[in-house]
């Protein structure tokens, strides 16, 4: 080391004056001229961070975002007792059996499960949770969040990116590209996002479940599926020309569904292609800003379904179409933050005598939550964002139209044939149409946890219809719940 | 903590800068130390003890070196103690599992358990920085720092604590004891910081997400074109991410009266690899040059030794980046290329047009990043094969076309952002003596506000905000 000072001196050094220094010299020269600008920059920067920094604390926190339709992160609990309870939870998890874990999964939300199943945590994770939650808290409760999200959407559009947050701007329509959601917990306890392979698997297992139900049904009851297309399927003709449709794996999903159903011998109603064709003809069958079908779209689906039962649907002119709201802005808008198509219109298809119908919404044990004349809860949902829940929505806006049990009768003296509708939210707007033919038992298996005996034992029961949207059908395995209740019931009868 | 987050900008920074300027001068270094420790302990408080240990060790060693200035032997002992302790800590946390798992345990019969410790954030950066103090004092390049709080502030200085630039003590020696914060330096700091913030949020994160999508495609479904685009995107992400971090650090430094040296000088316009490494992560190259290459004799010795020195430095540069084989390979790759350039390539390159020299450089750099990015060598190997058509899903498909078309404007912006053009243009207008300059100087604060709004918007509405240099 002794000789290194020598070396340092003779070592070649860049002779040219670095650009940065030249600039710095010029900067000093210009100092006087730029002083006003410097003060302006300083003021702008400080004012900006101070304004938002203070506004963040002053503006009260929200629990729920109407525009994004999701719960917002609340101020994190930054206490030692929180760490202690996290540690206790993990110790509990480590000693849990698989069935206990599955139960834990069903009672907690996914994010919590994601955080909780990781049993190989180090001390550090208990602190990173704070940092993560503070980050989420700031992002979720940030002042003018909605407006800032619109700025980002505008910037993405301005850069001609065609999409924002994985939602495509397809002309007037907003189209969710990728509909696979949820996570998978590996055997070693690690968590990964579900892939399209998992979605194929879920589609197949759902079909298997339905086929299992069918095999156990008595002859006077049939079961069929009507799977609705997503916007990416229905609005295919509106997608940008450069958009690679095949990258969405849409064809594989439908192929998987159709192959599985035909292998299992399940009766399917091909409502997807019907709506796609109507869309191509320029009809307004799916919302521009929401993932649901419009009431017109539901009507076309109803026609197909009712024909598959061997009956004739009521023609369109036998409904009186009224506008419930023309200010509906839905879920895809919530993600995209901008749209070119304006707000959507929700129509109600009224018909003569529908005010005599009664819709009774109950929980799994039969406690009545809400009773509606006809099928619409017009007052509760008119002025909030979730307007689609006007269809069989309960009085509690948080529950919307997805409740455990909904019973629909026509109020007549004669009991009619019964249909059990196992559905996701797409089924909600089918209800008014189907109710014109059958008394309905509408079950949402994502919420329902009863035993079904009373419905299945009804001598009038003729049909079971599984009406899902492909997005739910590829992600949600709760049809298993239906199978687990229906199959044993009919098995016990045949014994 | 990371700069490109809302809680940094709208909470931490307000508190840090606010009190910094409220406090009298003599308290400012103490405040810097406290607030920097908060920054470091955010989400990972336990390694604060390690940090404080490092500060004490190097403070004491620096003190001893200075005290025994006339007794070379004792001074040298203090230096060696500091070097060994620092490198031992770094080695233990960063390389223990690698040495045991990838080398020792490969020997039949050996089975030493791994520790699986998480790497203290920024340990490679602050260890080198702390070391440079003792070395600078030993060499007489800097005077000893009597106040442990000021020395602590130097080691923990939050702007460059976790991802550089690696500030040599002699460069901030004076500023640490006495610095003047001025309006124009502050404003210049804001400009630098904003440039970095925009680069990180609007470019690095966005292109990074595109790259991670391509990387996630299963091997058999990726096309040749996608593989090439992918690694180009990664190269852009890495540059924007890392240089943005340095820009923000330099900017924040200026806001508090420090002037750090530049860390990047448009590396992607380099016309040879030698040139590239004078432009990329300059503070690291300088550190290795001053503290390894020159002490070994540099290039002023026999040809064999010069090449050996180059090789050693590049091997170490590789290892510095991470405890995986790919980083060592990456270092050796550059070592070999640089030896070749020194030997004969540079002479050849001088004869060909600049454009081809540039293409040559970019291709080498691209392959460098290819080695760099895949810690899992089998994944990397499959990816490289994809790039040359082996196991790929054809040359190109409609998804590639869509990817390119919808990002055309964005890609154009990124390419321009890699060149010095925007900065040159900015200064040309900003320091213009006539009317254009006047208008421009009015527009700059407005543009600054607009950029702040857009950056905040992207921070509010995106979940993709990785931090590439966290493990170094």
């Amino acid at each position: 080391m002794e000789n290194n000072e020598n070396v340092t001196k003779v070592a070649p050094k860049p002779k040219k004056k670095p650009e940065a220094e030249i600039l710095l010299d010029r900067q000093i020269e210009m100092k006087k001229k730029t002083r006003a600008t410097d003060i302006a920059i300083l003021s702008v920067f400080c004012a900006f961070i101070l304004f938002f920094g203070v506004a963040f604390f002053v503006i009260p926190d929200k629990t729920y975002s109407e525009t994004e339709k999701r719960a917002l992160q609340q101020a994190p609990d930054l206490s030692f007792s929180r760490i202690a309870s996290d540690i206790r939870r993990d110790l509990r998890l480590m000693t849990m059996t698989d069935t206990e874990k599955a139960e834990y999964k069903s009672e907690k939300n996914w994010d919590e499960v994601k955080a909780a199943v990781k049993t190989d945590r180090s001390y550090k994770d208990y602190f990173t949770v704070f940092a993560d939650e503070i980050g989420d808290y700031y992002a979720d409760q940030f002042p003018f969040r909605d407006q800032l999200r619109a700025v980002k959407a505008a910037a993405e559009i301005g850069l001609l990116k065609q999409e924002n947050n994985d939602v495509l701007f397809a002309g007037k329509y907003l189209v969710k590209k990728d509909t696979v959601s949820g996570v998978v917990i590996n055997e070693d306890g690690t968590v990964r996002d579900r892939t399209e392979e998992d979605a194929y698997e879920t589609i197949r297992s759902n079909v298997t479940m339905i086929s299992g139900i069918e095999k156990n049904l008595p002859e006077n009851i049939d079961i069929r599926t009507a799977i609705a297309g997503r916007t990416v399927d229905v609005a295919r003709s509106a997608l940008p020309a450069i958009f690679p449709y095949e990258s969405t794996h849409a064809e594989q999903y439908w192929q998987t569904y159709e192959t599985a159903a035909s292998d299992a011998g399940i009766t399917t109603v091909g409502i997807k292609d019907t709506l796609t064709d109507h869309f191509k003809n320029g009809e307004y069958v799916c919302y521009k800003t929401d993932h649901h079908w419009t009431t017109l779209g539901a009507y076309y689906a109803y026609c197909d379904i009712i024909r598959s039962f061997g009956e004739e649907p009521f023609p369109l002119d036998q409904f009186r179409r009224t506008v419930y709201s023309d200010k509906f802005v839905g879920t895809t808008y919530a993600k995209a933050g901008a749209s070119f198509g304006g707000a959507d219109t929700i129509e109600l298809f009224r018909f003569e005598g529908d005010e005599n119908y009664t819709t009774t919404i109950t929980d799994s044990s039969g406690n009545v939550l809400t009773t509606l004349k006809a099928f619409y809860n017009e007052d509760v949902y008119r002025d909030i964002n979730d307007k689609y829940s006007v269809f069989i929505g309960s009085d509690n806006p948080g529950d919307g139209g997805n409740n455990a049990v909904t019973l629909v009768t026509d109020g007549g003296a004669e009991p009619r044939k019964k249909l059990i509708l196992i559905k996701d939210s797409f089924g909600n707007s089918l209800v008014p149409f189907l109710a014109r033919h059958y008394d309905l038992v509408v079950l949402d298996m994502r919420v329902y946890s009863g035993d079904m005996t009373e419905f299945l034992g009804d001598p009038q029961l003729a049909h079971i219809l599984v009406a899902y949207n492909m997005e739910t059908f590829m992600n949600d395995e709760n049809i298993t719940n239906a199978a687990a209740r229906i199959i044993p019931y009919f098995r016990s009868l045949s014994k | 903590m990371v700069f490109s987050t809302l809680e940094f900008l709208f909470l931490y920074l307000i508190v840090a800068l606010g009190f910094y300027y409220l406090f009298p001068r003599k308290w400012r270094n103490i405040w810097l130390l406290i607030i920097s420790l908060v920054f470091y302990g955010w989400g990972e408080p336990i390694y604060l003890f390690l940090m404080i240990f490092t500060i004490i060790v190097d403070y004491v060693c620096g003190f001893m070196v200075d005290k025994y200035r006339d007794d070379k032997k004792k001074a040298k002992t203090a230096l060696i103690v500091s070097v060994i302790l620092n490198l031992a800590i770094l080695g233990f946390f960063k390389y223990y599992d690698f040495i045991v798992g990838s080398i020792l345990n490969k020997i039949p019969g050996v089975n030493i358990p791994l520790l699986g410790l998480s790497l203290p954030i920024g340990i490679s950066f602050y260890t080198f920085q702390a070391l440079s103090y003792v070395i600078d004092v030993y060499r007489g390049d800097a005077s000893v720092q009597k106040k442990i709080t000021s020395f602590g502030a130097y080691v923990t200085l939050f702007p460059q604590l976790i991802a550089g630039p690696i500030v040599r003590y002699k460069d901030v020696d004076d500023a640490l004891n006495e610095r003047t914060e001025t309006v124009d330096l502050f404003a210049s700091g804001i400009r630098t910081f904003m440039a970095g913030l925009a680069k990180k949020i609007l470019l690095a994160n966005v292109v990074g997400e595109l790259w991670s999508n391509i990387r996630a495609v299963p091997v058999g479904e990726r096309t040749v074109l996608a593989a090439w685009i992918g690694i180009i995107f990664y190269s852009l992400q890495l540059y924007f991410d890392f240089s943005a971090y340095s820009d923000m650090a330099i900017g924040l430094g200026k806001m508090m009266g420090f002037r750090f040296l530049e860390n990047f000088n448009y590396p992607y316009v380099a016309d040879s690899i030698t040139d590239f490494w004078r432009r990329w992560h300059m503070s690291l190259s300088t550190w290795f040059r001053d503290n390894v290459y020159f002490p070994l004799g540099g290039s002023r010795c026999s040809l064999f030794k010069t090449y050996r020195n180059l090789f050693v430095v590049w091997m170490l540069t590789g290892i510095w980046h991470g405890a995986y084989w790919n980083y060592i390979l990456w270092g050796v790759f550059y070592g070999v290329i640089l030896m070749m350039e020194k030997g004969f390539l540079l002479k050849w390159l001088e004869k060909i047009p600049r454009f081809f020299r540039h293409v040559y450089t970019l291709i080498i750099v691209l392959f460098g990043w290819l080695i760099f990015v895949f810690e899992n060598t089998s994944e990397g190997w499959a990816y490289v094969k994809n790039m040359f058509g082996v196991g790929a899903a054809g040359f190109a498909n409609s998804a590639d076309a869509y990817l390119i078309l919808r990002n055309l404007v964005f890609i154009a912006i990124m390419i321009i952002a890699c060149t010095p053009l925007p900065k040159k243009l900015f200064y040309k207008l900003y320091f213009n003596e006539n009317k254009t300059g006047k208008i421009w100087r009015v527009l700059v604060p407005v543009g600054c506000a607009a950029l702040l709004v857009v950056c905040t918007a992207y921070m509010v509405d995106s979940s993709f905000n990785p931090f590439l240099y966290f493990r170094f």
Side-chain angles (χ1 to χ4, degrees):
Chain A
M1 280 248 173
E2 251 66 37
N3 64 343
N4 63 4
E5 280 183 20
N6 273 335
V7 181
T8 316
K9 269 170 204 157
V10 272
K13 275 183 183 159
K15 287 196 180 91
K16 221 176 116 192
K17 207 172 180 185
E19 210 159 75
E21 268 182 45
I22 300 171
L23 288 168
L24 210 67
D25 291 348
R26 275 177 73 186
Q27 229 165 316
I28 295 162
E29 266 169 48
M30 291 288 293
K31 214 170 172 180
K32 277 184 191 157
K33 283 197 173 146
T34 57
R35 190 161 173 89
T37 314
D38 286 343
I39 293 173
I41 294 176
L42 195 91
S43 319
V44 163
F45 183 80
C46 294
F48 187 87
I49 59 171
L50 265 179
F51 173 77
F52 281 99
V54 172
F56 178 83
F57 281 103
V58 173
I59 297 172
D61 289 349
K62 288 184 221 152
T63 47
Y64 185 80
S65 165
E66 275 282 328
T67 29
E68 291 173 71
K69 302 181 193 312
R70 65 183 183 87
L72 299 174
Q73 171 73 45
Q74 299 303 298
D77 172 10
L78 304 174
S79 66
F80 282 105
S81 60
R82 153 80 182 277
I83 300 181
S85 88
D86 282 359
I87 292 174
R88 275 199 301 276
R89 175 200 62 201
D90 289 345
L91 288 175
R92 207 179 104 210
L93 265 161
M94 273 190 253
T95 54
M96 268 185 191
T97 63
D98 284 349
T99 29
E100 282 169 328
K101 267 187 193 161
E103 265 168 38
Y104 185 82
K105 259 170 30 186
S106 63
E107 73 193 38
K108 299 282 176 178
N109 70 40
W110 274 114
D111 283 341
E112 250 180 273
V113 175
K114 256 203 259 186
V117 286
K118 222 176 117 197
T119 45
D120 62 335
R121 326 169 151 259
S122 68
Y123 77 90
K124 181 183 139 188
D125 296 309
Y126 298 103
F127 293 96
T128 45
V129 163
F130 291 146
D132 292 349
E133 284 185 4
I134 291 172
D136 290 345
Y137 178 50
Y138 257 84
D140 279 6
Q141 304 289 351
F142 204 75
F144 305 104
R145 178 178 163 87
D146 291 346
Q147 288 84 348
L148 285 166
R149 289 182 70 244
V151 168
K152 188 212 164 195
E156 294 283 289
I157 292 166
L159 290 171
L160 310 179
K161 291 222 194 140
Q162 316 283 337
E163 48 186 74
N164 184 27
N165 296 340
D166 287 329
V167 175
L168 259 173
F169 298 104
K172 289 177 182 172
Y173 288 83
L174 295 174
V175 181
K176 219 167 133 190
K177 275 194 318 183
D178 182 13
T179 56
V180 182
S181 61
V183 293
V184 175
I185 300 170
N186 296 320
E187 275 182 15
D188 61 357
T190 54
V191 178
R192 64 173 172 79
D193 288 331
R194 291 175 82 248
T195 65
E196 64 267 12
E197 299 294 334
D198 300 311
Y200 303 147
E201 204 41 59
T202 301
I203 292 171
R204 281 190 211 105
S205 87
N206 279 341
V207 171
T208 309
M209 283 301 153
I210 295 165
S211 142
I213 297 173
E214 182 176 48
K215 290 198 182 91
N216 287 284
L217 289 178
E219 270 186 13
N220 57 340
I221 305 174
D222 58 44
I223 185 167
R224 66 198 63 209
T225 58
I227 304 299
R230 305 155 298 163
T231 316
V232 71
D233 304 313
V234 174
R236 193 179 161 178
S237 51
L239 299 179
I242 58 164
F243 178 72
Y245 179 72
E246 63 276 11
S247 72
T248 64
H249 304 281
E251 264 154 23
Q252 285 96 314
Y253 295 136
W254 289 100
Q255 195 66 52
T256 307
Y257 163 62
E258 277 148 23
T259 312
S262 82
D263 287 353
I266 305 269
T267 313
T268 59
V269 190
I271 54 177
K272 185 257 273 182
D273 292 337
T274 310
L275 262 74
T276 308
D277 293 342
H278 281 290
F279 184 90
K280 231 189 237 168
N281 293 336
E283 286 180 83
Y284 183 36
V285 290
C286 61
Y287 292 117
K288 294 172 288 184
T289 67
D290 193 76
H291 65 290
H292 291 109
W293 50 25
T294 61
T295 319
L296 182 64
Y299 169 77
Y300 287 128
Y302 143 78
C303 293
D304 282 357
I305 291 165
I306 224 69
R307 280 194 198 104
S308 92
F309 289 135
E311 296 185 39
E312 263 312 296
F314 289 91
L316 206 50
D317 58 20
Q318 290 207 13
F319 293 92
R320 186 166 46 84
R321 292 167 68 168
T322 62
V323 172
Y324 170 63
S325 171
D326 55 6
K327 292 183 185 62
F328 175 49
V329 174
T331 52
T332 37
Y333 183 88
K335 273 197 94 183
S339 95
F340 294 104
D344 276 299
T345 302
I346 297 181
E347 284 182 302
L348 307 180
F349 283 30
R350 309 302 300 256
F351 55 86
E352 206 159 310
D354 68 358
E355 66 277 4
N356 297 328
Y357 284 64
T358 312
T359 302
T360 313
I361 300 166
T362 77
D363 63 14
S364 296
S365 357
N367 303 314
V368 176
L369 304 173
T370 305
T371 311
L372 301 172
K373 242 180 154 187
F375 329 97
Y376 310 110
N377 200 337
E378 298 195 45
D379 295 337
V380 173
Y381 297 95
R382 183 171 280 123
D383 297 319
I384 64 172
N385 237 290
D386 182 20
K387 296 183 169 59
Y388 180 80
S389 287
V390 67
F391 300 102
I392 63 169
S394 82
D395 285 342
N396 176 14
D399 294 337
N402 299 330
N403 298 289
V405 184
T406 307
L407 303 171
V408 187
T409 54
D410 68 346
E414 289 289 301
R416 297 186 298 169
K417 274 196 173 173
K418 274 216 165 82
L419 183 150
I420 293 183
L421 174 62
I422 295 174
K423 58 93 199 172
D424 62 9
S425 57
F426 273 65
N428 300 359
S429 52
L430 265 183
V431 163
F433 299 112
L434 293 174
R436 235 176 145 172
H437 300 258
Y438 302 100
D439 280 350
L440 300 180
V441 177
V442 185
L443 301 173
D444 198 316
M445 298 316 299
R446 298 168 297 180
V447 190
Y448 180 72
S449 59
D451 69 359
M452 276 179 151
T453 349
E454 50 179 318
F455 310 129
L456 296 170
D458 195 312
Q460 298 296 323
L461 179 59
H463 307 292
I464 300 175
L465 173 68
V466 178
Y468 270 46
N469 168 245
M470 184 48 105
E471 179 167 354
T472 321
F473 202 68
M474 68 165 74
N475 290 315
D476 191 299
E477 293 190 344
N478 279 315
I479 288 177
T480 318
N481 293 348
R485 294 178 171 97
I486 297 174
I487 297 172
Y489 175 78
F490 287 112
R491 276 207 182 138
S492 68
L493 283 192
S494 59
K495 262 177 202 165
Chain B
M1 211 174 194
V2 180
F3 298 152
S4 54
T5 56
L6 295 165
E7 60 272 26
F8 175 80
L9 209 50
F10 298 99
L11 175 64
Y12 180 89
L13 194 58
I14 296 174
V15 174
L17 282 180
F19 284 100
Y20 182 85
Y21 279 100
L22 281 178
F23 285 145
R25 281 240 147 84
K26 56 180 176 184
W27 291 5
R28 286 185 183 171
N29 280 355
I30 301 172
W31 173 244
L32 261 181
L33 173 62
I34 294 169
I35 199 76
S36 296
L37 288 175
V38 170
F39 182 89
Y40 189 71
W42 194 265
E44 201 179 352
I46 212 112
Y47 285 139
L48 278 176
F49 296 106
L50 192 66
M51 167 75 83
I52 292 166
F53 179 72
T54 303
I55 293 172
I56 294 171
V57 164
D58 290 302
Y59 174 78
V60 172
C61 287
F63 188 80
M64 298 308 249
V65 166
D66 185 61
K67 192 177 174 191
Y68 297 108
R69 191 158 290 287
D70 304 326
D71 189 343
K72 274 261 162 174
K73 216 172 173 184
K74 281 185 181 163
K76 204 169 179 177
T77 313
L79 174 72
I80 290 170
V81 167
S82 157
V83 170
I84 288 176
L85 271 176
N86 278 296
L87 293 183
I89 293 172
L90 180 63
F92 178 73
F93 281 100
K94 196 160 178 175
Y95 304 106
Y96 178 88
D97 276 4
F98 173 71
I99 292 169
V100 170
S102 299
I103 301 172
L104 295 181
N105 282 357
K106 300 279 178 210
I107 304 166
V110 179
N111 191 12
I112 307 166
L114 300 179
L115 295 176
L117 289 170
S118 66
L119 189 66
I121 291 177
I123 189 169
S124 311
F125 288 94
Y126 77 71
T127 304
F128 271 35
Q129 201 159 303
L131 260 180
S132 96
Y133 163 71
V134 186
I135 296 171
D136 283 350
V137 172
Y138 178 79
R139 285 184 185 154
D141 289 340
S143 50
V144 70
Q145 177 57 260
K146 293 259 161 61
K147 286 186 185 157
I148 192 161
T149 46
S150 294
F151 177 66
Y154 159 73
V155 176
T156 60
L157 213 56
F158 75 84
Q160 25 73 340
L161 173 60
I162 56 178
I166 300 163
V167 175
R168 289 175 301 179
Y169 187 77
K170 61 183 176 194
D171 292 334
V172 288
D173 188 4
D174 297 334
L176 209 54
N177 296 321
E178 205 180 319
R179 56 186 176 272
T180 40
E181 300 89 350
T182 60
V183 170
D184 63 309
L185 190 63
F186 200 115
S188 155
I190 291 172
R191 289 200 303 266
T192 315
F193 179 79
M194 287 305 301
L197 187 70
K199 252 201 271 188
K200 165 70 180 159
I201 305 227
L202 306 180
L203 303 181
N205 284 357
V206 178
V207 75
E209 192 167 9
L210 297 176
W211 153 243
S212 77
N213 290 343
I214 294 176
R215 184 176 180 171
V217 172
V219 174
E221 291 171 31
R222 192 162 37 219
T223 63
V224 174
L225 185 61
W228 281 90
I229 295 173
I231 196 66
I232 291 171
F233 279 177
Y234 174 70
S235 309
L236 290 165
Q237 182 198 5
L238 192 65
Y239 167 61
F240 289 133
D241 201 88
F242 196 10
S243 73
Y245 203 93
S246 291
D247 286 344
M248 289 189 273
I250 293 166
L252 290 166
K254 282 187 195 167
M255 292 183 203
M256 295 179 294
F258 289 96
R259 292 166 196 265
F260 304 137
L261 295 177
E262 288 288 341
N263 206 14
F264 288 86
N265 184 23
Y266 308 100
Y268 289 161
V269 300
D271 64 354
S272 69
I273 294 303
T274 312
D275 188 24
F276 176 79
W277 277 105
R278 283 195 199 113
R279 294 164 173 272
W280 180 279
H281 203 175
M282 287 137 71
S283 64
L284 181 71
S285 324
T286 313
W287 199 96
F288 273 117
R289 188 193 68 197
D290 289 355
N291 299 313
V292 181
Y293 189 64
F294 287 163
L296 283 174
S299 51
R300 299 275 156 161
C301 45
S302 72
L303 203 62
F304 169 76
K305 273 195 173 168
T306 303
Y307 283 103
R308 181 206 64 185
N309 296 348
L310 261 178
F311 190 82
V312 168
V313 165
W314 284 96
M315 178 97 167
L316 288 175
T317 305
I319 294 172
W320 181 88
H321 279 85
Y324 289 94
W325 288 114
N326 69 309
Y327 295 115
I328 297 170
L329 184 66
W330 176 76
V332 170
F333 168 80
Y334 274 115
V336 170
I337 303 259
L338 287 166
M339 280 185 221
M340 279 161 61
E341 285 200 347
K342 215 177 180 76
F344 58 93
L345 254 178
L346 274 184
K347 274 174 232 151
W348 291 3
L349 285 170
E350 275 167 22
K351 287 175 199 143
I352 62 170
R354 211 192 118 82
F355 175 77
F356 292 106
R357 294 202 300 259
H358 191 62
V359 169
Y360 148 83
T361 309
L362 286 181
I363 289 175
I364 300 281
V365 169
L366 211 61
F367 278 95
W369 294 141
L370 203 53
I371 304 171
F372 190 83
V373 66
F374 293 106
E375 281 167 1
N376 175 339
T377 28
S378 64
E379 188 197 355
W381 188 232
Y383 193 93
V384 175
K385 285 202 281 192
N386 260 194
M387 287 172 68
F388 294 98
V390 183
F395 178 74
N397 62 22
S398 57
D400 303 337
Y402 178 66
L403 180 71
I404 296 172
L405 283 173
R406 82 185 198 83
N407 286 300
L408 265 186
V409 180
F410 178 61
I411 292 169
I413 293 173
M414 285 195 291
I415 291 170
I416 295 169
C418 283
T419 70
L421 285 176
K423 194 174 188 178
K424 269 191 183 153
L425 187 70
F426 178 85
Y427 279 113
K428 203 175 166 184
L429 292 167
Y430 197 69
F431 296 119
N432 196 316
E433 306 275 346
N434 48 39
K435 212 175 171 189
T436 10
K438 237 179 213 170
I439 298 170
W440 185 249
R441 284 193 289 276
V442 173
L443 284 178
V444 167
V446 180
C448 180
L451 204 55
L452 270 169
V453 171
V454 175
C455 286
T456 310
Y458 272 75
M459 279 192 273
V460 163
D461 190 26
S462 80
S463 49
F464 193 84
N465 189 9
F467 175 47
L468 287 188
Y469 266 67
F470 72 94
R471 66 175 103 73
F472 302 126

